[in-house]
mmCIF file of all heavy atoms in Angstrom:
data_model
loop_
_atom_site.group_PDB
_atom_site.id
_atom_site.type_symbol
_atom_site.label_atom_id
_atom_site.label_comp_id
_atom_site.label_asym_id
_atom_site.label_seq_id
_atom_site.Cartn_x
_atom_site.Cartn_y
_atom_site.Cartn_z
ATOM 1 N N MET A 117 35.027 -49.066 16.265
ATOM 2 C CA MET A 117 33.886 -49.962 16.390
ATOM 3 C C MET A 117 34.247 -51.341 16.070
ATOM 4 O O MET A 117 34.860 -51.711 14.969
ATOM 5 C CB MET A 117 32.778 -49.473 15.478
ATOM 6 C CG MET A 117 31.422 -50.169 15.575
ATOM 7 S SD MET A 117 30.171 -49.388 14.575
ATOM 8 C CE MET A 117 30.866 -49.569 12.878
ATOM 9 N N GLY A 118 33.966 -52.290 16.967
ATOM 10 C CA GLY A 118 34.203 -53.732 16.743
ATOM 11 C C GLY A 118 35.574 -54.168 17.202
ATOM 12 O O GLY A 118 35.944 -55.373 17.104
ATOM 13 N N ILE A 119 36.422 -53.294 17.774
ATOM 14 C CA ILE A 119 37.659 -53.691 18.350
ATOM 15 C C ILE A 119 37.908 -53.047 19.692
ATOM 16 O O ILE A 119 37.117 -52.231 20.117
ATOM 17 C CB ILE A 119 38.863 -53.237 17.460
ATOM 18 C CG1 ILE A 119 38.888 -51.751 17.245
ATOM 19 C CG2 ILE A 119 38.776 -53.891 16.097
ATOM 20 C CD1 ILE A 119 40.061 -51.145 16.527
ATOM 21 N N GLY A 120 38.855 -53.598 20.463
ATOM 22 C CA GLY A 120 39.189 -52.964 21.708
ATOM 23 C C GLY A 120 38.153 -53.069 22.867
ATOM 24 O O GLY A 120 37.973 -52.103 23.532
ATOM 25 N N LEU A 121 37.535 -54.204 22.977
ATOM 26 C CA LEU A 121 36.563 -54.356 23.983
ATOM 27 C C LEU A 121 36.968 -55.325 25.068
ATOM 28 O O LEU A 121 36.135 -55.997 25.684
ATOM 29 C CB LEU A 121 35.235 -54.876 23.349
ATOM 30 C CG LEU A 121 34.617 -53.907 22.328
ATOM 31 C CD1 LEU A 121 33.440 -54.552 21.593
ATOM 32 C CD2 LEU A 121 34.102 -52.640 23.062
ATOM 33 N N ASP A 122 38.214 -55.310 25.387
ATOM 34 C CA ASP A 122 38.826 -56.272 26.332
ATOM 35 C C ASP A 122 39.088 -55.662 27.680
ATOM 36 O O ASP A 122 39.522 -56.243 28.611
ATOM 37 C CB ASP A 122 40.111 -56.784 25.797
ATOM 38 C CG ASP A 122 41.119 -55.641 25.468
ATOM 39 O OD1 ASP A 122 40.649 -54.576 25.021
ATOM 40 O OD2 ASP A 122 42.335 -55.877 25.672
ATOM 41 N N LEU A 123 38.584 -54.370 27.883
ATOM 42 C CA LEU A 123 38.877 -53.647 29.149
ATOM 43 C C LEU A 123 37.598 -53.119 29.738
ATOM 44 O O LEU A 123 36.682 -52.698 29.008
ATOM 45 C CB LEU A 123 39.888 -52.535 28.937
ATOM 46 C CG LEU A 123 41.332 -53.002 28.563
ATOM 47 C CD1 LEU A 123 42.112 -51.719 28.208
ATOM 48 C CD2 LEU A 123 42.015 -53.786 29.672
ATOM 49 N N PRO A 124 37.526 -52.915 31.053
ATOM 50 C CA PRO A 124 36.380 -52.136 31.660
ATOM 51 C C PRO A 124 36.439 -50.736 31.289
ATOM 52 O O PRO A 124 37.520 -50.188 30.796
ATOM 53 C CB PRO A 124 36.530 -52.409 33.167
ATOM 54 C CG PRO A 124 38.013 -52.713 33.323
ATOM 55 C CD PRO A 124 38.438 -53.488 32.145
ATOM 56 N N LEU A 125 35.369 -50.011 31.471
ATOM 57 C CA LEU A 125 35.194 -48.655 31.032
ATOM 58 C C LEU A 125 36.434 -47.702 31.167
ATOM 59 O O LEU A 125 36.889 -47.084 30.273
ATOM 60 C CB LEU A 125 33.954 -48.080 31.721
ATOM 61 C CG LEU A 125 33.686 -46.536 31.452
ATOM 62 C CD1 LEU A 125 33.288 -46.374 30.010
ATOM 63 C CD2 LEU A 125 32.553 -46.085 32.362
ATOM 64 N N LEU A 126 36.784 -47.460 32.433
ATOM 65 C CA LEU A 126 37.768 -46.459 32.652
ATOM 66 C C LEU A 126 39.106 -46.727 32.015
ATOM 67 O O LEU A 126 39.790 -45.799 31.458
ATOM 68 C CB LEU A 126 38.024 -46.179 34.199
ATOM 69 C CG LEU A 126 36.686 -45.728 34.913
ATOM 70 C CD1 LEU A 126 36.940 -45.511 36.378
ATOM 71 C CD2 LEU A 126 36.105 -44.498 34.250
ATOM 72 N N GLN A 127 39.535 -47.979 32.051
ATOM 73 C CA GLN A 127 40.813 -48.394 31.358
ATOM 74 C C GLN A 127 40.630 -48.334 29.824
ATOM 75 O O GLN A 127 41.568 -47.986 29.112
ATOM 76 C CB GLN A 127 41.264 -49.782 31.839
ATOM 77 C CG GLN A 127 41.682 -49.886 33.218
ATOM 78 C CD GLN A 127 40.553 -50.384 34.144
ATOM 79 O OE1 GLN A 127 39.404 -49.765 34.061
ATOM 80 N NE2 GLN A 127 40.858 -51.241 35.001
ATOM 81 N N TRP A 128 39.416 -48.707 29.375
ATOM 82 C CA TRP A 128 39.144 -48.646 27.986
ATOM 83 C C TRP A 128 39.242 -47.278 27.405
ATOM 84 O O TRP A 128 39.751 -47.042 26.270
ATOM 85 C CB TRP A 128 37.660 -49.226 27.789
ATOM 86 C CG TRP A 128 37.078 -49.127 26.445
ATOM 87 C CD1 TRP A 128 37.223 -49.948 25.392
ATOM 88 C CD2 TRP A 128 36.140 -48.154 25.942
ATOM 89 N NE1 TRP A 128 36.522 -49.533 24.284
ATOM 90 C CE2 TRP A 128 35.797 -48.470 24.598
ATOM 91 C CE3 TRP A 128 35.527 -47.005 26.502
ATOM 92 C CZ2 TRP A 128 34.895 -47.705 23.830
ATOM 93 C CZ3 TRP A 128 34.702 -46.236 25.782
ATOM 94 C CH2 TRP A 128 34.376 -46.613 24.452
ATOM 95 N N LEU A 129 38.699 -46.256 28.160
ATOM 96 C CA LEU A 129 38.807 -44.849 27.723
ATOM 97 C C LEU A 129 40.319 -44.444 27.535
ATOM 98 O O LEU A 129 40.599 -43.826 26.459
ATOM 99 C CB LEU A 129 38.156 -43.979 28.755
ATOM 100 C CG LEU A 129 36.553 -43.987 28.867
ATOM 101 C CD1 LEU A 129 36.146 -43.244 30.193
ATOM 102 C CD2 LEU A 129 35.994 -43.330 27.592
ATOM 103 N N THR A 130 41.092 -44.799 28.454
ATOM 104 C CA THR A 130 42.483 -44.380 28.431
ATOM 105 C C THR A 130 43.219 -45.058 27.183
ATOM 106 O O THR A 130 43.975 -44.399 26.502
ATOM 107 C CB THR A 130 43.178 -44.707 29.719
ATOM 108 O OG1 THR A 130 42.610 -43.969 30.796
ATOM 109 C CG2 THR A 130 44.634 -44.281 29.691
ATOM 110 N N LYS A 131 43.061 -46.417 27.059
ATOM 111 C CA LYS A 131 43.866 -47.043 26.055
ATOM 112 C C LYS A 131 43.305 -46.848 24.691
ATOM 113 O O LYS A 131 44.194 -46.869 23.698
ATOM 114 C CB LYS A 131 43.805 -48.558 26.410
ATOM 115 C CG LYS A 131 44.686 -49.396 25.456
ATOM 116 C CD LYS A 131 44.805 -50.910 25.892
ATOM 117 C CE LYS A 131 45.646 -51.601 24.913
ATOM 118 N NZ LYS A 131 45.804 -53.130 25.319
ATOM 119 N N TYR A 132 42.001 -46.912 24.497
ATOM 120 C CA TYR A 132 41.440 -46.920 23.093
ATOM 121 C C TYR A 132 40.818 -45.616 22.735
ATOM 122 O O TYR A 132 40.958 -45.070 21.585
ATOM 123 C CB TYR A 132 40.487 -48.022 22.955
ATOM 124 C CG TYR A 132 41.102 -49.352 23.175
ATOM 125 C CD1 TYR A 132 40.662 -50.151 24.223
ATOM 126 C CD2 TYR A 132 41.987 -49.914 22.307
ATOM 127 C CE1 TYR A 132 41.242 -51.389 24.512
ATOM 128 C CE2 TYR A 132 42.535 -51.201 22.486
ATOM 129 C CZ TYR A 132 42.126 -51.902 23.611
ATOM 130 O OH TYR A 132 42.657 -53.188 23.814
ATOM 131 N N THR A 133 40.049 -44.991 23.660
ATOM 132 C CA THR A 133 39.130 -43.899 23.168
ATOM 133 C C THR A 133 39.765 -42.596 23.113
ATOM 134 O O THR A 133 39.608 -41.849 22.107
ATOM 135 C CB THR A 133 37.914 -43.893 24.181
ATOM 136 O OG1 THR A 133 37.249 -45.138 24.183
ATOM 137 C CG2 THR A 133 36.942 -42.854 23.785
ATOM 138 N N PHE A 134 40.444 -42.178 24.185
ATOM 139 C CA PHE A 134 41.127 -40.834 24.096
ATOM 140 C C PHE A 134 42.108 -40.682 23.037
ATOM 141 O O PHE A 134 42.176 -39.624 22.390
ATOM 142 C CB PHE A 134 41.668 -40.512 25.486
ATOM 143 C CG PHE A 134 40.681 -40.353 26.629
ATOM 144 C CD1 PHE A 134 41.027 -40.745 27.903
ATOM 145 C CD2 PHE A 134 39.443 -39.884 26.404
ATOM 146 C CE1 PHE A 134 40.138 -40.607 28.983
ATOM 147 C CE2 PHE A 134 38.492 -39.757 27.422
ATOM 148 C CZ PHE A 134 38.832 -40.167 28.711
ATOM 149 N N PRO A 135 42.977 -41.707 22.758
ATOM 150 C CA PRO A 135 43.836 -41.534 21.596
ATOM 151 C C PRO A 135 43.133 -41.334 20.241
ATOM 152 O O PRO A 135 43.705 -40.478 19.486
ATOM 153 C CB PRO A 135 44.624 -42.898 21.653
ATOM 154 C CG PRO A 135 44.577 -43.324 23.078
ATOM 155 C CD PRO A 135 43.179 -42.915 23.493
ATOM 156 N N ILE A 136 42.085 -41.994 20.011
ATOM 157 C CA ILE A 136 41.427 -41.925 18.735
ATOM 158 C C ILE A 136 40.814 -40.517 18.726
ATOM 159 O O ILE A 136 40.795 -39.820 17.569
ATOM 160 C CB ILE A 136 40.461 -42.993 18.326
ATOM 161 C CG1 ILE A 136 40.026 -43.007 16.908
ATOM 162 C CG2 ILE A 136 39.220 -42.962 19.232
ATOM 163 C CD1 ILE A 136 41.155 -43.359 15.930
ATOM 164 N N GLU A 137 40.165 -40.067 19.822
ATOM 165 C CA GLU A 137 39.442 -38.818 19.775
ATOM 166 C C GLU A 137 40.388 -37.603 19.602
ATOM 167 O O GLU A 137 40.076 -36.635 18.980
ATOM 168 C CB GLU A 137 38.545 -38.641 21.007
ATOM 169 C CG GLU A 137 37.334 -39.527 21.148
ATOM 170 C CD GLU A 137 36.459 -39.166 22.201
ATOM 171 O OE1 GLU A 137 36.491 -37.999 22.753
ATOM 172 O OE2 GLU A 137 35.583 -40.063 22.604
ATOM 173 N N ALA A 138 41.620 -37.762 20.126
ATOM 174 C CA ALA A 138 42.596 -36.756 19.986
ATOM 175 C C ALA A 138 43.033 -36.447 18.571
ATOM 176 O O ALA A 138 43.440 -35.385 18.243
ATOM 177 C CB ALA A 138 43.825 -37.114 20.767
ATOM 178 N N ARG A 139 42.809 -37.387 17.668
ATOM 179 C CA ARG A 139 43.112 -37.279 16.257
ATOM 180 C C ARG A 139 42.190 -36.356 15.526
ATOM 181 O O ARG A 139 42.520 -35.958 14.374
ATOM 182 C CB ARG A 139 43.083 -38.598 15.555
ATOM 183 C CG ARG A 139 44.291 -39.560 16.106
ATOM 184 C CD ARG A 139 44.246 -40.873 15.332
ATOM 185 N NE ARG A 139 44.580 -40.549 13.803
ATOM 186 C CZ ARG A 139 44.586 -41.587 13.014
ATOM 187 N NH1 ARG A 139 44.229 -42.834 13.297
ATOM 188 N NH2 ARG A 139 44.872 -41.295 11.693
ATOM 189 N N PHE A 140 41.052 -35.935 16.079
ATOM 190 C CA PHE A 140 40.064 -35.187 15.402
ATOM 191 C C PHE A 140 40.386 -33.699 15.308
ATOM 192 O O PHE A 140 39.555 -32.928 14.745
ATOM 193 C CB PHE A 140 38.768 -35.378 16.010
ATOM 194 C CG PHE A 140 38.075 -36.668 15.562
ATOM 195 C CD1 PHE A 140 38.492 -37.917 16.059
ATOM 196 C CD2 PHE A 140 37.124 -36.689 14.526
ATOM 197 C CE1 PHE A 140 37.980 -39.058 15.604
ATOM 198 C CE2 PHE A 140 36.619 -37.882 13.963
ATOM 199 C CZ PHE A 140 36.985 -39.100 14.626
ATOM 200 N N LYS A 141 41.568 -33.269 15.794
ATOM 201 C CA LYS A 141 42.051 -31.942 15.467
ATOM 202 C C LYS A 141 42.432 -31.772 13.991
ATOM 203 O O LYS A 141 42.528 -30.681 13.391
ATOM 204 C CB LYS A 141 43.271 -31.615 16.393
ATOM 205 C CG LYS A 141 44.482 -32.428 16.215
ATOM 206 C CD LYS A 141 45.549 -32.068 17.245
ATOM 207 C CE LYS A 141 46.759 -33.055 17.109
ATOM 208 N NZ LYS A 141 47.739 -32.799 18.175
ATOM 209 N N ASP A 142 42.632 -32.990 13.353
ATOM 210 C CA ASP A 142 42.969 -32.999 11.902
ATOM 211 C C ASP A 142 41.653 -33.077 11.128
ATOM 212 O O ASP A 142 40.928 -34.020 11.188
ATOM 213 C CB ASP A 142 43.755 -34.303 11.702
ATOM 214 C CG ASP A 142 44.105 -34.437 10.161
ATOM 215 O OD1 ASP A 142 43.481 -33.849 9.287
ATOM 216 O OD2 ASP A 142 45.032 -35.309 9.820
ATOM 217 N N LEU A 143 41.346 -31.922 10.531
ATOM 218 C CA LEU A 143 40.054 -31.813 9.763
ATOM 219 C C LEU A 143 39.881 -32.839 8.611
ATOM 220 O O LEU A 143 38.691 -33.299 8.411
ATOM 221 C CB LEU A 143 39.870 -30.450 9.252
ATOM 222 C CG LEU A 143 39.437 -29.410 10.253
ATOM 223 C CD1 LEU A 143 39.326 -27.962 9.525
ATOM 224 C CD2 LEU A 143 38.109 -29.732 10.931
ATOM 225 N N ASN A 144 40.920 -33.215 8.010
ATOM 226 C CA ASN A 144 40.827 -34.213 6.940
ATOM 227 C C ASN A 144 40.415 -35.550 7.444
ATOM 228 O O ASN A 144 39.612 -36.274 6.944
ATOM 229 C CB ASN A 144 42.071 -34.312 6.112
ATOM 230 C CG ASN A 144 42.347 -33.093 5.348
ATOM 231 O OD1 ASN A 144 41.421 -32.465 4.731
ATOM 232 N ND2 ASN A 144 43.540 -32.741 5.112
ATOM 233 N N PHE A 145 41.049 -35.940 8.554
ATOM 234 C CA PHE A 145 40.740 -37.206 9.266
ATOM 235 C C PHE A 145 39.281 -37.081 9.724
ATOM 236 O O PHE A 145 38.538 -38.108 9.563
ATOM 237 C CB PHE A 145 41.688 -37.379 10.436
ATOM 238 C CG PHE A 145 41.425 -38.602 11.288
ATOM 239 C CD1 PHE A 145 41.788 -39.824 10.817
ATOM 240 C CD2 PHE A 145 40.763 -38.459 12.485
ATOM 241 C CE1 PHE A 145 41.517 -41.020 11.647
ATOM 242 C CE2 PHE A 145 40.488 -39.621 13.273
ATOM 243 C CZ PHE A 145 40.835 -40.821 12.861
ATOM 244 N N ALA A 146 38.942 -36.052 10.343
ATOM 245 C CA ALA A 146 37.553 -35.845 10.848
ATOM 246 C C ALA A 146 36.487 -35.965 9.752
ATOM 247 O O ALA A 146 35.453 -36.642 9.951
ATOM 248 C CB ALA A 146 37.361 -34.476 11.576
ATOM 249 N N GLU A 147 36.730 -35.344 8.676
ATOM 250 C CA GLU A 147 35.769 -35.378 7.589
ATOM 251 C C GLU A 147 35.634 -36.826 6.965
ATOM 252 O O GLU A 147 34.465 -37.258 6.743
ATOM 253 C CB GLU A 147 36.202 -34.454 6.391
ATOM 254 C CG GLU A 147 35.246 -34.522 5.287
ATOM 255 C CD GLU A 147 35.591 -33.479 4.217
ATOM 256 O OE1 GLU A 147 36.654 -32.875 4.255
ATOM 257 O OE2 GLU A 147 34.685 -33.191 3.312
ATOM 258 N N ASP A 148 36.619 -37.614 6.928
ATOM 259 C CA ASP A 148 36.599 -38.946 6.453
ATOM 260 C C ASP A 148 35.763 -39.804 7.440
ATOM 261 O O ASP A 148 34.789 -40.521 6.978
ATOM 262 C CB ASP A 148 38.018 -39.495 6.329
ATOM 263 C CG ASP A 148 38.023 -40.946 5.918
ATOM 264 O OD1 ASP A 148 37.314 -41.244 4.907
ATOM 265 O OD2 ASP A 148 38.671 -41.798 6.562
ATOM 266 N N ILE A 149 36.101 -39.788 8.740
ATOM 267 C CA ILE A 149 35.458 -40.584 9.686
ATOM 268 C C ILE A 149 33.956 -40.144 9.800
ATOM 269 O O ILE A 149 33.027 -40.953 9.888
ATOM 270 C CB ILE A 149 36.100 -40.520 11.035
ATOM 271 C CG1 ILE A 149 37.535 -41.105 10.929
ATOM 272 C CG2 ILE A 149 35.320 -41.405 12.098
ATOM 273 C CD1 ILE A 149 37.685 -42.512 10.376
ATOM 274 N N TYR A 150 33.688 -38.860 9.939
ATOM 275 C CA TYR A 150 32.345 -38.413 10.107
ATOM 276 C C TYR A 150 31.492 -38.720 8.951
ATOM 277 O O TYR A 150 30.241 -38.980 9.120
ATOM 278 C CB TYR A 150 32.368 -36.859 10.503
ATOM 279 C CG TYR A 150 32.824 -36.575 11.922
ATOM 280 C CD1 TYR A 150 33.429 -35.401 12.187
ATOM 281 C CD2 TYR A 150 32.662 -37.527 12.903
ATOM 282 C CE1 TYR A 150 33.833 -35.080 13.523
ATOM 283 C CE2 TYR A 150 33.087 -37.240 14.239
ATOM 284 C CZ TYR A 150 33.638 -35.972 14.523
ATOM 285 O OH TYR A 150 34.049 -35.787 15.794
ATOM 286 N N THR A 151 32.020 -38.617 7.783
ATOM 287 C CA THR A 151 31.238 -38.927 6.582
ATOM 288 C C THR A 151 30.819 -40.438 6.699
ATOM 289 O O THR A 151 29.688 -40.794 6.377
ATOM 290 C CB THR A 151 31.947 -38.691 5.281
ATOM 291 O OG1 THR A 151 32.300 -37.330 5.147
ATOM 292 C CG2 THR A 151 31.180 -39.126 4.039
ATOM 293 N N LYS A 152 31.741 -41.294 7.057
ATOM 294 C CA LYS A 152 31.442 -42.718 7.159
ATOM 295 C C LYS A 152 30.394 -43.044 8.181
ATOM 296 O O LYS A 152 29.480 -43.857 7.901
ATOM 297 C CB LYS A 152 32.715 -43.448 7.513
ATOM 298 C CG LYS A 152 33.768 -43.659 6.399
ATOM 299 C CD LYS A 152 34.988 -44.438 6.843
ATOM 300 C CE LYS A 152 35.833 -44.903 5.676
ATOM 301 N NZ LYS A 152 36.577 -43.789 5.087
ATOM 302 N N VAL A 153 30.422 -42.360 9.335
ATOM 303 C CA VAL A 153 29.504 -42.711 10.422
ATOM 304 C C VAL A 153 28.081 -42.184 10.038
ATOM 305 O O VAL A 153 27.063 -42.876 10.319
ATOM 306 C CB VAL A 153 29.935 -42.108 11.773
ATOM 307 C CG1 VAL A 153 29.870 -40.604 11.850
ATOM 308 C CG2 VAL A 153 29.099 -42.668 12.871
ATOM 309 N N VAL A 154 28.005 -41.011 9.405
ATOM 310 C CA VAL A 154 26.661 -40.557 9.061
ATOM 311 C C VAL A 154 26.034 -41.453 7.946
ATOM 312 O O VAL A 154 24.824 -41.802 8.063
ATOM 313 C CB VAL A 154 26.714 -39.041 8.552
ATOM 314 C CG1 VAL A 154 25.412 -38.573 8.020
ATOM 315 C CG2 VAL A 154 27.168 -38.168 9.727
ATOM 316 N N LYS A 155 26.800 -41.788 7.004
ATOM 317 C CA LYS A 155 26.282 -42.681 5.982
ATOM 318 C C LYS A 155 25.955 -44.046 6.471
ATOM 319 O O LYS A 155 24.829 -44.625 6.127
ATOM 320 C CB LYS A 155 27.301 -42.805 4.772
ATOM 321 C CG LYS A 155 27.518 -41.511 4.058
ATOM 322 C CD LYS A 155 28.621 -41.654 2.889
ATOM 323 C CE LYS A 155 28.060 -42.483 1.739
ATOM 324 N NZ LYS A 155 28.979 -42.507 0.646
ATOM 325 N N ARG A 156 26.703 -44.630 7.351
ATOM 326 C CA ARG A 156 26.530 -45.920 7.929
ATOM 327 C C ARG A 156 25.237 -45.906 8.755
ATOM 328 O O ARG A 156 24.417 -46.867 8.741
ATOM 329 C CB ARG A 156 27.718 -46.355 8.771
ATOM 330 C CG ARG A 156 27.481 -47.765 9.445
ATOM 331 C CD ARG A 156 27.411 -48.835 8.422
ATOM 332 N NE ARG A 156 28.736 -48.942 7.728
ATOM 333 C CZ ARG A 156 28.987 -49.833 6.781
ATOM 334 N NH1 ARG A 156 28.023 -50.739 6.436
ATOM 335 N NH2 ARG A 156 30.173 -49.898 6.171
ATOM 336 N N THR A 157 25.015 -44.908 9.655
ATOM 337 C CA THR A 157 23.786 -44.910 10.397
ATOM 338 C C THR A 157 22.583 -44.622 9.526
ATOM 339 O O THR A 157 21.523 -45.284 9.798
ATOM 340 C CB THR A 157 23.959 -43.740 11.498
ATOM 341 O OG1 THR A 157 24.269 -42.514 10.934
ATOM 342 C CG2 THR A 157 24.981 -44.193 12.526
ATOM 343 N N LEU A 158 22.633 -43.765 8.561
ATOM 344 C CA LEU A 158 21.494 -43.555 7.726
ATOM 345 C C LEU A 158 21.059 -44.854 7.006
ATOM 346 O O LEU A 158 19.913 -45.174 6.891
ATOM 347 C CB LEU A 158 21.764 -42.461 6.644
ATOM 348 C CG LEU A 158 21.513 -41.057 7.183
ATOM 349 C CD1 LEU A 158 22.017 -40.106 6.052
ATOM 350 C CD2 LEU A 158 20.107 -40.799 7.521
ATOM 351 N N ARG A 159 22.019 -45.555 6.439
ATOM 352 C CA ARG A 159 21.670 -46.770 5.684
ATOM 353 C C ARG A 159 21.216 -47.895 6.729
ATOM 354 O O ARG A 159 20.610 -48.889 6.244
ATOM 355 C CB ARG A 159 22.873 -47.345 4.909
ATOM 356 C CG ARG A 159 24.105 -47.799 5.619
ATOM 357 C CD ARG A 159 24.993 -48.650 4.622
ATOM 358 N NE ARG A 159 25.448 -47.809 3.486
ATOM 359 C CZ ARG A 159 26.610 -47.296 3.421
ATOM 360 N NH1 ARG A 159 27.484 -47.336 4.415
ATOM 361 N NH2 ARG A 159 26.969 -46.550 2.326
ATOM 362 N N ASN A 160 21.376 -47.647 7.974
ATOM 363 C CA ASN A 160 20.827 -48.559 8.992
ATOM 364 C C ASN A 160 19.511 -48.013 9.548
ATOM 365 O O ASN A 160 19.069 -48.521 10.579
ATOM 366 C CB ASN A 160 21.890 -48.854 10.085
ATOM 367 C CG ASN A 160 22.794 -49.940 9.777
ATOM 368 O OD1 ASN A 160 22.492 -51.135 9.913
ATOM 369 N ND2 ASN A 160 23.992 -49.621 9.291
#
């Protein structure tokens, strides 16, 4: 969030989005990020 907005949609997915989503097979990584997003959205 807040970075990597220099490309149109399809190129953006390939360069930025798919690589970060691929990391969520790691449960520790997933727990950290998902905890952050739920807390951030609730406080908003």
Side-chain angles (χ1 to χ4, degrees):
M117 185 173 61
I119 60 174
L121 296 172
D122 57 326
L123 295 172
L125 174 66
L126 299 183
Q127 294 94 315
W128 173 83
L129 286 169
T130 299
K131 182 174 180 179
Y132 300 113
T133 302
F134 295 147
I136 194 70
E137 290 191 19
R139 295 183 63 187
F140 280 78
K141 61 185 176 183
D142 180 340
L143 281 180
N144 290 326
F145 177 79
E147 181 173 12
D148 177 51
I149 300 300
Y150 285 154
T151 299
K152 285 182 168 72
V153 68
V154 172
K155 293 179 72 174
R156 179 68 64 181
T157 53
L158 277 173
R159 65 165 59 99
N160 276 278

